[in-house]
Amino acid sequence: MTAKLKQLIRDVPDFPKPGIVFRDITPLLADADGLAESCSAMADPFRQANIDLVVGVESRGFIFGTVVARELNVGFVPIRKPGKLPYKTVSEEYQLEYGTDKIEIHADAIKAGQRILMVDDLLATGGTMKAACQLVEHLGGEIVGISFIIELAFLNGRSLIENYNIHSLITYDSE
Amino acid sequence: MTAKLKQLIRDVPDFPKPGIVFRDITPLLADADGLAESCSAMADPFRQANIDLVVGVESRGFIFGTVVARELNVGFVPIRKPGKLPYKTVSEEYQLEYGTDKIEIHADAIKAGQRILMVDDLLATGGTMKAACQLVEHLGGEIVGISFIIELAFLNGRSLIENYNIHSLITYDSE
């Protein structure tokens, strides 16, 4: 199954900058069977895990977040860039290659003890997902697992979030 | 059903600026039943319409786009802000209250004659959705309908996209 899904990912050389091969999931998204199988497979390891909520980070985490929430028949909580969420928020700053970035969650989005599945399309350096996990834990959520479509293993993002149960559908061991 | 969903939408006064009441869908998203019913209801009018693809615009259009695509058992195509899509794109500029904005679609995302359902969470002024429809039609897609969760009818966004079959779950007639 993974091999078939991998065929639906397009390699785009030199994006976003020279020397980088971008793994483009848009052909997978556009394929009805590929989309169905990837959504289902992202949820599979967590179907018996009593998940209360799925959390996804703007904006690519929104693509699979809601649909994985539906697979598990739970609700979805968005984490967004600063200034987008209208109600009271808590925020977390994190390091980029150059400079910092910030993400926010509604302060009442998660109740203490709720069991959370984190969802994103791509594990690269892990910085965004680490900050997202910190936001969830700040609200008292218990992170049961993290589900990615793609893991760029050569970037070793897993080391930043090694305390969590990480599941990736497709792994690239080199650029 | 609509009345029940409307109860899950939170009114946040003075966001994003004084005098505006923001209709916050995050409580609806977080509610398992509310999410299930809204996703299903967004797809319902189009289940017999032979849709080929669902299209959603970054980033709030991603929240419901993929899940409506799954409801209809078709694929999903993202329209994104400039510089985010890695492959060859076409773009469309559109007017904001002050200045302009731009969105892009992969040039090979839609084949001529494909039947397209557009999805977004909110119909406000309609400017973004109009530009998104123009992108789809530029690629030869046939827009069968547009499905929103919320329509702010007092902003009259419908007039900008009046040639399309528009479906909204929840309508607000005044601020």
Side-chain angles (χ1 to χ4, degrees):
Chain A
M1 196 268 287
T2 299
K4 194 179 135 200
L5 292 180
K6 204 166 185 172
Q7 284 174 5
L8 290 168
I9 293 176
R10 170 165 56 189
D11 291 349
V12 182
D14 300 322
F15 187 89
K17 50 189 180 184
I20 305 287
V21 179
F22 190 89
R23 309 299 180 170
D24 175 17
I25 62 166
T26 62
L28 184 153
L29 293 174
D31 184 278
D33 292 341
L35 180 62
E37 284 170 26
S38 52
C39 294
S40 176
M42 286 184 89
D44 278 345
F46 304 101
R47 291 190 193 275
Q48 310 304 323
N50 296 313
I51 300 296
D52 291 309
L53 286 168
V54 168
V55 172
V57 183
E58 182 171 13
S59 61
R60 286 165 57 181
F62 291 180
I63 294 179
F64 286 100
T66 316
V67 82
V68 172
R70 287 296 304 118
E71 288 277 341
L72 300 174
N73 203 25
V74 301
F76 173 71
V77 171
I79 289 181
R80 299 204 63 180
K81 287 162 187 164
K84 301 291 191 76
L85 288 169
Y87 199 64
K88 193 185 164 198
T89 61
V90 294
S91 64
E92 184 76 37
E93 208 171 74
Y94 60 100
Q95 211 64 38
L96 298 176
E97 195 178 0
Y98 305 102
T100 60
D101 214 338
K102 202 156 108 172
I103 50 177
E104 297 184 339
I105 193 169
H106 271 152
D108 65 347
I110 291 169
K111 293 181 191 70
Q114 282 191 306
R115 294 170 60 79
I116 309 298
L117 174 62
M118 309 296 289
V119 165
D120 207 350
D121 66 339
L122 180 75
L123 172 54
T125 64
T128 308
M129 184 50 79
K130 185 184 177 188
C133 290
Q134 287 169 334
L135 280 180
V136 167
E137 290 175 340
H138 180 77
L139 298 182
E142 181 190 341
I143 294 170
V144 176
I146 311 177
S147 197
F148 297 101
I149 290 276
I150 294 178
E151 177 174 356
L152 303 180
F154 54 92
L155 293 177
N156 201 24
R158 204 172 259 261
S159 66
L160 259 195
I161 46 177
E162 62 189 353
N163 294 329
Y164 303 108
N165 174 17
I166 302 169
H167 182 258
S168 312
L169 288 191
I170 299 166
T171 300
Y172 292 90
D173 292 321
S174 62
E175 291 201 48
Chain B
M1 192 268 286
T2 299
K4 194 178 134 200
L5 292 180
K6 203 166 185 172
Q7 285 174 3
L8 290 168
I9 293 178
R10 171 165 56 188
D11 291 349
V12 182
D14 300 322
F15 187 90
K17 51 187 178 184
I20 305 286
V21 179
F22 191 90
R23 310 297 181 172
D24 176 17
I25 62 166
T26 62
L28 184 153
L29 293 174
D31 184 278
D33 292 341
L35 180 62
E37 284 171 27
S38 53
C39 294
S40 176
M42 286 184 89
D44 278 345
F46 304 101
R47 291 190 193 275
Q48 309 304 322
N50 295 312
I51 302 295
D52 291 310
L53 286 168
V54 168
V55 171
V57 183
E58 183 172 11
S59 63
R60 288 165 55 180
F62 291 179
I63 293 179
F64 286 99
T66 315
V67 83
V68 173
R70 288 294 306 119
E71 288 277 340
L72 299 175
N73 202 27
V74 300
F76 173 71
V77 171
I79 288 180
R80 299 204 64 180
K81 287 162 187 163
K84 301 291 190 73
L85 288 169
Y87 200 63
K88 193 185 164 197
T89 61
V90 294
S91 65
E92 184 77 37
E93 209 171 74
Y94 60 101
Q95 211 65 36
L96 297 177
E97 195 178 0
Y98 304 103
T100 60
D101 213 339
K102 202 157 105 171
I103 50 178
E104 297 184 339
I105 193 169
H106 271 152
D108 65 347
I110 292 169
K111 292 181 193 70
Q114 282 190 307
R115 292 171 61 81
I116 308 299
L117 174 62
M118 308 296 289
V119 166
D120 207 351
D121 65 340
L122 180 76
L123 172 55
T125 64
T128 308
M129 184 51 80
K130 185 185 177 189
C133 290
Q134 287 170 332
L135 280 180
V136 167
E137 290 175 340
H138 180 77
L139 298 182
E142 182 190 339
I143 294 170
V144 177
I146 311 178
S147 198
F148 296 100
I149 290 277
I150 294 178
E151 177 173 356
L152 304 179
F154 54 93
L155 293 177
N156 201 26
R158 205 172 258 261
S159 66
L160 259 195
I161 47 177
E162 62 188 354
N163 294 330
Y164 302 110
N165 174 18
I166 301 170
H167 182 258
S168 311
L169 288 191
I170 299 166
T171 300
Y172 292 90
D173 292 321
S174 62
E175 288 200 50

